[in-house]
Amino acid sequence: LARIAVGQKVAVTCDGCAPNLTATISFIARAAEFTPPVIYSLTRREKLVFLVEARPDDLDQPWHPGLPVDIRPLSPAPGGEPLAQGAGS
């Protein structure tokens, strides 16, 4: 979560989608949507899932609610460190 921020641009890819799609992050949940059923520990931290919403920059594309997509930050979060190659995939 430290590498993303509201207002940040992301690249969007999905099966059957046009290439070079982008979106802008509009919401990041403050609390995790899923917490491991056992006691939380640093080794289980990767299991936490936070809801992130992004609005498509090109509304002429056929976006469908619930369509599974992959996102990748296009730039560092404001005030953040530069992203490593391939980070966020």
Side-chain angles (χ1 to χ4, degrees), residues 36-82:
V38 190
I39 298 173
Y40 175 78
S41 70
L42 290 178
T43 59
R44 304 289 288 170
R45 186 166 48 184
E46 74 276 2
K47 300 286 185 185
L48 297 176
V49 176
F50 288 79
L51 174 67
V52 176
E53 294 178 358
R55 297 188 184 276
D57 293 329
D58 182 358
L59 297 177
D60 291 332
Q61 293 296 320
W63 298 97
H64 303 287
L67 178 69
V69 299
D70 292 313
I71 65 162
R72 179 181 48 81
L74 291 174
S75 61
E81 295 293 319

